[in-house]
Structures are given as structure tokens and as C-alpha cells.
Amino acid sequence: MAQLKSISPCSSTGLSFPGPKRASMQCHDKVCCPRKFPSSYELGARTSELHGNACAVISNNGSVARAHSKQVIRAVAYKESEISETSKNKGLRGKLNKVVLAYSGGLDTSVIVPWLRENYGCEVVCFTADVGQGIKELDGLEQKAKASGACQLVVKDLKEEFVGDFIFPCLRAGAIYERKYLLGTSMARPVIAKAMVDVANEVGADAVAHGCTGKGNDQVRFELTFFALNPKLNVVAPWREWDITGREDAIEYAKKHNVPVPVTKKSIYSRDGNLWHLSHEGDILEDPANEPKKDMYMLTVDPQDAPNEPEYVEIGFVSGIPVSVNGKELSPASLLSELNQIGGRHGIGRIDMVENRLVGMKSRGVYETPGGTILFNAARELESLTLDRETMQVKDSLALKYAELVYAGRWFDPLRESMDAFMQKITETTTGSVTLKLYKGSVAVTSRKSPYSLYRQDISSFESGDIYDQADAAGFIRLYGLPMRVRAMLEKGI
């Protein structure tokens, strides 16, 4: 079960939740209280640790309705009298009954709520996924959603599912897009979209909506997931329909519809963060010739300012999946959080690249992936022991296609699922541990161990051995080089 943090109880419900001493899961007819889970996401630079406990689902009358067995959900439904008559009428562009909106609480999604009601005459359920983006992103969502005109707010903690069911399969596959990108945003979108489909089914919505622009990859990732999981749902993408062209237009629309404008300092960068990475785009980064500013980075310290002493970290794997850090077994999200903290303070995982977007244009982005960089290095080093040459080459070739499918939003494509089955089978023996040395932005392997290692010191040693007879190499070389020898004979008329 996942744990939702940093969402305060809604005072109008009168609910109270037990403290952190709960040791087990007790479910009754209307209340489901989860056991305490490890705290997560304290990174080495400037991110905040999340605190708090999860709560349940609240119906229209304020009572607790139910809670899911796999994820704790907080859903706050506002009184019907607090919602205007707009949702009962046909909108300017048509009629929908209820729309689940991917909601962040920022200016864009706050404006989308009244726009949907005005243009489609619908109720709007705001949905927020906690994928480890940090406490600031989750703070005050209830008040913001209500002020925007939503009929309900649903928040799900998806961190464990995100890491265990999406990140770790990509890690096992060795999926890296265009030589550098570790797919942080690409992996997050399908898990969020999947949860939106679940919520749509739960609340009886006939449509889903997102705030992605028409120029980016995310619109594709969201909508392909919607198509795959519930093709009956209507999809609304306001940025492809409305006349709002920028921040000032959005502010004017918000004021016109009495929607409080979020009072936040506008970042000069466009950022997307989750438990795997933090991306930076925009401003001076739009010119590939410009070096990123030092104060842009948020998860990792400048390698020049990192500790002068290296730190060693041991990662344990079972069948290609990381399970422990320095001998301590951890849940997927907790393991990644621990490595983010360790890697962040050593300046690990900074990537600056120009990538080819799915929609055809090139874009420049800077990514911070401290824990992910550590894990990818460890996984590759362990595979050097457990995979033979042919298997490794085939796996690496398929990893390129696997990464392309994930980047393109085709997570639920049968091709990716089939390739994942291959990756799972081929890494059955990728079990063991790898020790890495972290120092001022660099990652170096110092130890590899596996009970399934194909490395044999008695064979590889330069000393004489019984298994490998060096005299056998002469015949091998003659046969292996025969095509080259024949071609040379032809060219020289021999």
C-alpha cells in the first residue's frame, strides 16, 4: 500500500486520523487506516522531506466512503451548493457530464477548471498524483481546487507503484533514450494517466483532460494511455482548443471567472520533477550554446563543491531489480530516495542534452537524476558478470527500441510488454551486489559479486590452466579470419 503525505485533513469533514503509532492495517465498513511507511525523498540539495499520514475517500455528504487496497486515496468532495449551475447546462463547445482533470494547482490547471465547465457544461474532478515531486507541489491543493470550481479533489500516492512497476522495469531493460536521457518524465506520465482512468471509472466520469501543450511529448503519453486503458473516454486538451496563448491571458481569464491566481514566483525555467529526476527547460537553455547557471540545479550540489572524500555505496540486486543499499533492504521508493540523497550530495547525475521530441522538433533539456545514475551504473556492472556476449548484445539492441517506446508514450503497447517479458527472463540470474565509488560527480565501480557470475578466475588468469589451452587459439584464429583472408587473396590475385 502506498502512503499519501502532506495533504492536510479537510476541516469540513470533521474527520480525524490516527497518529504514527499504527502498526497494522485495519479496515472497517467506512474507514481504512494504513500502517506507517518509511519517510521518503530527502535529497542532498534543496528538496524538502514529506511528512504526514494518509487518509481515505470522502463522499459528497462528507462521510468516508471507501479506500483501495493498493493505494491510499484522499478525495475531498465539495457541497453541491458550492458548485454553480454551469455544470447542469450545455457548454459552449458541447456537453460532458464529468471530467477528471490532471491537476497541479498551478495557473494553467486552475484556469482549465472553469474553462471546462464553461465550454462543456461539466463537473470537474481534479486529480493529483504524488510521484515524489515534493511537498511544495502538494501544498494547499484542496483550497485551490475548490476555489477554481472543482466538485472534487482526488490525490493518490503513486510513488511505490511508479518506482516498482515503471522505473525498475526500465532499469532492468537498460532503457536510455538517445544515449543520455533516463526517461524520468516519460515513465511518470503513464502511471499518472493510468490512475486517472481508474478515478474516472470510480467517479463515473465520461472524459479526462490534461494541461499539456500541443508542442510537447506529454500530450501523446497521456492520451495513448487513455486509449489503451479505456477507449470510451473522451479526451479534452484545452491547450489545443482555447484562445489563451500565454501567462497573461491565463491570468486575465482567471480574474474574469473569479479564480484566485496562484501567488507564486514564476520560475524562469520549465521544470518537471518526480522521485526519479528533475528536468529543466526554457530561458537561457533554449540556446544550446549557453552553459546552465549554477543556481539552476536543485537536487545535486555542484561537483566542485561536493565532499573532498569519496563515498562508497553497495547496491544489491535480485533478478535485475535493486533491493538493497549498503546491505539494508528497502522498498522501491525508499531505496530510490536513499540513493537520491547520497548521489545528490556528491553531484551525481547531471545530464545536458539536445533531444529529438516525438512531435518532430529538437529541444534542449538539463536533467538531474542522482539515484537513477547510480542504479544504471550498478546494473550494467552486474550484467558484465552474469550475461554472455550474445545475450548482452541482443539486450542492448532491444533496449534502444524499449526506450523509444517508453519515450513515445507506448507503455501499454503489446510490443513493450513483450519486450519486458524478454528482459525479465534474460535477467533472471542478474543477482548480486555492486559497490560504487562516488566522487565529485563521477561514479566508478570498485566491486562486483554474483553467485551466477560467468567470470572464472581459473580460466581468465594469465597463468596456465586446465580448461583453456592457449594452443587452441591458432586454429580458432585461422577459421575466424578465413573470410578476410579469402578476400585479400582475391584482391592480390593469389
Side-chain angles (χ1 to χ4, degrees), residues 110-111 114 144 147-149 251 253-262:
S110 294
V111 167
K144 294 177 183 177
S148 297
I251 291 175
Y253 186 90
K255 291 180 179 179
K256 179 181 177 181
H257 291 80
N258 299 315
V259 175
V261 177

Side-chain angles (χ1 to χ4, degrees), residues 402 405 410-422:
Y402 192 107
L405 291 171
R410 295 169 61 184
W411 183 268
F412 294 99
D413 191 304
L415 176 57
R416 189 213 63 84
E417 294 172 342
S418 298
M419 293 173 68
D420 198 55
F422 169 82

